[in-house]
């Protein structure tokens, strides 16, 4: 049980935390200024230290080199004492064991960093084996170039050992690599160590610069985590070093590890600037939910249109022109890279209105393959009488033609030189001639049901008595701030949910939460002790939590004394394991 470390914010596996010393430390951080090592038991017997609140004390330890056999580690395993001061235990990455410490020093770190597969496998094992509310420290490996990737993988603390060593060797470190001092005609940094003339810059100055550069990079990393945009930074920085590139790709292959730790909604914009963007959890999760949870409820042809730079798409000039031609006679879905296919009901749902892509007019083969696969799966799940592809030639047309050969739905094309020319728009309107228009009421009801499907599961929005919203659904308010009600319209009805336009999800009332519990939709539950939560539920008050809960998920909170609904601030496993931190932000609560 940790008493001195708490996680405050999460960005995938990366965390912003607080190491609670006499002078609190925000992590990720460099531990040199506050770490005290009691010493190795290989060299001599060590007494249990007194410790204090000013330092993170590393308890007596035996470190093992990489590859040490299990029986050797078992024979020399250290029994860590239970202490009341901030403490760290040295553990092996091969079999990390919970020692009740606030932080864990990984003994084989220098052998792992530089070997992508070994590092990623070790970090996944470490994070799954040790308590979620403890810090992970890697010593002797951090540089300004790699520390962002270390944090992205879940490392909370590093030290300046390697940066000092490289400085003593005359290696000048920056966030994009290292340089021999002899090759630098001028110093590219403006830190205090670099303020003097170049010919007076010594190797001792280089050591100090390297530490300054490492500290500056850690500040940048903390800011990126706070903004929810560390991944964007990593995608760019991974190009500077082969190990970083390999590690980044290996981490993307650990879908379950990253997906569990990646929020389902957030404010951060996704910068789609590389092919690796399509491997992001947010992108893959959206595509999977659209093709496995969402179902169109419109009795109308599908109209495929290109995306727009303006988000949500319907606010753009081009999409207003599409709507004028379609006149609600067809169901609109936008095609886009890297998102895939976005039905009109989900255009505000994260990340559909939270990304910005590089527009060159050319599609890569990877983009075409990805979007085509999403469109194919989408059409196989939904029953459309025909598809009207109002898309330009470049990329879009190739995707449609590829999918048309793979599905049993007729395609017709209405776009000439450009989707918004008069001829193209006239052809689009003519293709829908004779199709009945669906009503505003139908659009709003289908939007609520689609959001429920996407958010809660494939039957979340059904009206067949098994979902959250039954046949008596009616809506009030104006899109995108719709309110969902059950029962007769007006004051006699019961409000079930409100649409949150910022994220394109539903926020349930207590009545809506009860409907969720009583439905056939799997309920994400948090079980608490016998108290009535006020504003939030802290991790120590949680008895159990659904493993499927992700940060940002809608959750039901139940205990002997209360029934509540709110939004998750931790994933479910972390809620159940943690002893510190806010687990759920409570929106509505009722005392039992």
């Amino acid at each position: 049980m940790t008493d001195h470390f708490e996680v405050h914010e999460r960005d995938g596996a990366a965390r912003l935390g607080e190491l609670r010393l006499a002078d609190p430390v925000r992590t990720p951080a460099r531990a040199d200024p506050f770490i005290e090592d009691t010493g190795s038991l290989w060299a001599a017997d060590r007494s249990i230290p007194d410790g204090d609140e000013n330092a993170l004390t590393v308890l007596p330890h035996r470190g093992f080199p990489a590859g040490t056999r299990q029986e050797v580690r078992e024979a020399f395993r250290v029994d860590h004492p239970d202490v009341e001061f901030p403490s760290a235990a040295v553990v092996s990455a091969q079999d990390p064991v919970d020692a009740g410490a606030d932080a864990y020093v990984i003994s084989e770190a220098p052998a792992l960093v530089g070997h992508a597969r070994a590092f990623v496998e070790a970090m996944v094992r470490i994070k799954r084996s040790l308590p979620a509310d403890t810090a992970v420290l890697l010593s002797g490996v951090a540089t300004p170039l790699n520390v962002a990737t270390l944090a992205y993988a879940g490392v909370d603390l590093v030290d300046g050992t390697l940066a000092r060593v490289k400085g003593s060797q005359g290696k000048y470190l920056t966030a994009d690599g290292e340089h021999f001092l002899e090759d630098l005609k001028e110093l590219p940094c403006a830190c205090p160590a670099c303020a003097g003339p170049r010919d007076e810059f010594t190797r001792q100055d280089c050591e100090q610069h390297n530490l300054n550069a490492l500290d500056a990079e850690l500040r940048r990393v903390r800011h990126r985590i706070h903004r929810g945009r560390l991944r964007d930074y990593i995608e760019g920085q991974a190009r500077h070093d082969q190990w970083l590139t390999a590690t980044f790709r290996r981490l993307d292959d650990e879908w379950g590890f990253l997906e569990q730790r990646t929020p389902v909604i957030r404010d951060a914009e996704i910068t789609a600037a590389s092919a690796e963007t399509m491997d992001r959890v947010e992108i893959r999760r959206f595509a999977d939910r659209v093709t496995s949870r969402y179902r169109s409820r419109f009795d109308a042809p599908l109209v495929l249109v290109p995306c727009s730079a303006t988000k949500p798409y319907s606010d753009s000039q081009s999409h207003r022109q599409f709507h004028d031609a379609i006149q609600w006679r067809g169901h609109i879905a936008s095609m886009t890279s890297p998102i895939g296919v976005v039905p009109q009901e989900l255009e505000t749902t994260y990340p559909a209105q939270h990304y910005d892509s590089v527009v060159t007019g050319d599609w890569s083969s990877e983009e075409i393959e990805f979007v085509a696969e999403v469109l194919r799966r989408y059409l196989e799940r939904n029953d459309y009488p025909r598809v009207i592809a109002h898309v330009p030639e470049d990329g879009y047309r190739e995707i449609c033609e590829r999918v048309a050969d793979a599905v049993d739905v007729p395609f017709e094309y209405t776009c000439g030189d450009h989707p918004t020319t008069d001829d193209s728009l006239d052809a689009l309107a003519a293709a829908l001639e004779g199709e009945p228009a669906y009503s505003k009421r139908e659009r709003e009801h289908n939007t609520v049901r689609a959001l429920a499907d996407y958010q809660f599961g494939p039957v979340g929005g059904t009206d067949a008595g098994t979902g959250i919203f039954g046949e008596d659904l009616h809506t009030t308010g104006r899109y995108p701030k719709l309110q969902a009600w059950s029962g007769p319209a007006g004051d006699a009805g019961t409000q079930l949910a409100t649409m949150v336009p910022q994220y394109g999800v539903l926020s349930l009332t207590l009545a809506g939460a009860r409907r969720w519990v009583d439905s056939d939709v799997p309920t994400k539950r948090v079980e608490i002790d016998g108290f009535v939560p006020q504003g939030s539920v802290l991790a120590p008050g949680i008895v159990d939590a659904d493993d499927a809960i992700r940060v940002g998920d809608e959750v039901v909170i139940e205990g002997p004394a209360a029934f509540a609904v709110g939004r998750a601030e931790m994933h479910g496993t972390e809620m159940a394991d943690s002893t510190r931190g806010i687990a759920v932000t409570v929106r509505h609560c009722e005392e039992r």
Side-chain angles (χ1 to χ4, degrees):
M1 172 176 165
T2 177
D3 292 319
H4 301 279
F5 182 72
E6 181 176 333
V7 179
H8 292 308
E9 298 181 53
R10 297 157 184 83
D11 184 9
R15 297 105 62 89
L16 278 184
E18 181 184 14
L19 186 60
R20 290 181 171 165
L21 307 179
D23 292 323
V25 177
R26 290 186 73 211
T27 63
R30 182 165 64 90
D32 310 57
F34 54 81
I35 198 165
E36 295 287 345
D37 190 355
T38 303
S40 172
L41 291 169
W42 291 119
D45 290 335
R46 309 286 182 180
S47 59
I48 304 303
D50 293 333
D52 64 61
E53 300 296 317
N54 295 299
L56 179 66
T57 302
V58 181
L59 300 171
H61 53 85
R62 289 191 185 97
F64 299 96
T68 301
R69 295 199 308 270
Q70 177 68 24
E71 58 266 30
V72 175
R73 294 197 308 273
E74 288 290 346
F76 293 97
R77 190 181 297 278
V78 175
D79 292 326
H80 296 93
D82 185 12
V83 297
E84 296 184 358
F85 51 82
S87 65
V90 176
V91 297
S92 168
Q94 292 177 262
D95 61 340
V97 177
D98 180 7
D102 302 292
Y104 292 85
V105 184
I106 308 306
S107 60
E108 309 97 325
L112 299 173
V113 175
H115 188 321
R117 180 191 293 271
F119 172 73
V120 170
E121 289 178 353
M123 286 304 302
V124 171
R125 187 163 54 247
I126 288 163
K127 302 298 282 188
R128 287 176 174 165
S129 301
L130 299 176
D133 55 351
T134 55
V136 173
L137 191 158
L138 265 57
S139 176
V141 298
T143 67
L145 174 63
N146 70 20
V147 74
T149 297
L150 299 182
Y152 181 70
V155 175
D156 304 290
L157 296 168
V158 297
D159 64 16
T161 301
L162 184 58
R164 287 194 186 92
V165 169
K166 287 186 175 291
S168 71
Q169 297 170 340
K171 295 178 180 178
Y172 187 96
L173 304 184
T174 66
D176 60 1
E178 64 179 49
H179 315 271
F180 286 104
L181 276 178
E182 292 79 2
D183 297 335
L184 295 176
K185 301 303 181 184
E186 62 177 347
L187 302 175
C189 174
C191 76
C194 300
R198 168 66 185 87
D199 57 4
E200 296 178 9
F201 189 81
T202 66
R203 292 195 174 191
Q204 185 175 2
D205 293 327
C206 190
E207 288 185 39
Q208 188 56 53
H209 155 77
N210 288 351
L211 292 178
N212 291 344
L214 180 56
D215 289 341
E217 188 68 3
L218 283 164
R219 292 190 195 100
R220 185 175 295 113
V221 167
R222 290 194 294 268
H223 175 69
R224 287 278 179 171
I225 295 173
H226 173 65
R227 294 286 305 278
R229 301 196 65 178
L230 182 60
R231 168 68 185 233
D232 294 339
Y233 185 61
I234 292 292
E235 285 190 18
Q237 200 183 38
R239 302 293 186 273
H240 297 305
D241 181 89
Q242 290 180 338
W243 179 77
L244 296 181
T245 306
T247 299
F248 172 61
R249 291 175 179 172
R250 288 281 181 189
L251 279 166
D252 274 349
D253 289 339
E254 293 290 342
W255 164 262
F257 174 73
L258 288 181
E259 192 279 330
Q260 182 184 46
R261 292 163 173 80
T262 301
V264 294
I265 57 171
R266 52 180 164 184
D267 292 329
E269 181 180 88
I270 292 174
T271 300
S274 71
E276 284 83 5
T277 301
M278 289 184 291
D279 293 325
R280 290 182 68 138
V281 168
E282 299 96 321
I283 301 299
R284 295 285 178 174
R285 182 191 278 148
F286 185 87
D288 179 69
R289 291 191 179 190
V290 166
T291 55
S292 65
R293 294 186 176 190
Y294 168 85
R295 188 180 298 278
S296 173
R297 292 177 170 82
F298 293 99
D299 183 16
L302 174 65
V303 180
L304 293 174
V305 297
C307 64
S308 67
T310 300
K311 312 293 187 305
Y313 306 132
S314 58
D315 287 347
S316 68
Q317 182 177 354
S318 61
H319 277 243
R320 286 198 294 268
Q321 291 176 287
F322 300 154
H323 280 284
D324 287 343
I326 295 168
Q327 291 293 312
W328 310 112
R329 295 171 296 172
H331 178 226
I332 299 174
S334 300
M335 295 171 58
T336 177
S337 176
I339 302 292
V341 176
V342 183
Q344 62 187 24
E345 306 98 301
L346 302 180
E347 68 170 10
T348 63
T349 302
Y350 181 85
Q353 70 162 331
H354 302 80
Y355 76 98
D356 190 15
S357 58
V358 177
V359 179
T360 64
D362 298 319
W363 288 65
S364 69
S365 59
E366 292 84 2
E367 288 176 309
I368 290 173
E369 182 178 357
F370 175 73
V371 178
E373 176 62 14
V374 174
L375 179 58
R376 181 190 66 79
R377 292 173 59 196
Y378 178 86
L379 289 174
E380 288 178 349
R381 178 169 173 78
N382 290 280
D383 186 19
Y384 289 105
R386 59 191 175 115
V387 177
I388 299 171
H390 190 73
V391 294
E393 289 286 341
D394 295 338
Y396 292 101
R397 183 72 174 259
E398 181 179 344
I399 292 169
C400 290
E401 290 175 346
R402 180 181 299 190
V403 174
D405 291 336
V407 298
D408 189 24
V409 185
F411 274 66
E412 53 192 285
Y413 300 92
T414 56
C415 180
D417 294 336
H418 191 274
T420 58
T421 63
D422 288 343
D423 288 344
S424 293
L425 293 171
D426 288 345
L428 175 59
L432 292 164
E433 188 71 32
E435 294 284 351
Y438 45 86
S439 67
K440 177 182 178 182
R441 177 180 179 276
E442 186 177 358
R443 297 198 306 267
E444 293 180 346
H445 286 202
N446 287 351
T447 296
V448 170
R449 295 190 189 280
L451 293 177
D453 286 341
Y454 179 92
Q455 188 175 350
F456 300 108
V459 296
T462 184
D463 60 359
T466 57
I468 298 173
F469 305 104
E471 295 180 356
D472 59 349
L473 169 70
H474 69 273
T475 58
T476 58
R478 296 185 62 182
Y479 179 85
K481 297 181 180 180
L482 298 175
Q483 295 177 341
W485 297 70
S486 67
D491 294 337
T494 301
Q495 186 177 352
L496 302 178
T498 299
M499 182 179 173
V500 182
Q502 184 180 4
Y503 307 118
V505 295
L506 297 173
S507 174
L508 297 179
T509 64
L510 285 173
R514 291 191 186 90
R515 281 281 195 102
W516 187 14
V517 170
D518 293 338
S519 73
D520 291 345
V521 184
T523 307
K524 295 184 177 179
R525 286 183 170 89
V526 177
E527 183 183 351
I528 61 174
D529 281 327
F531 64 93
V532 179
Q534 302 292 329
S536 61
V537 175
L538 301 181
I542 290 178
V543 176
D544 198 8
D546 192 323
D547 289 343
I549 293 171
R550 302 291 180 259
V551 175
D553 265 336
E554 197 81 352
V555 295
V556 169
I557 306 117
E558 294 183 283
F563 178 87
V565 63
R567 204 167 291 284
E569 301 293 340
M570 299 176 178
H571 63 77
T573 304
E574 186 177 6
M575 287 184 191
D577 292 346
S578 295
T579 57
R580 304 190 72 87
I582 297 174
V584 183
T585 299
V586 177
R587 184 182 316 109
H588 305 292
C589 179
E590 181 177 84
E591 187 172 355
R592 283 177 166 170

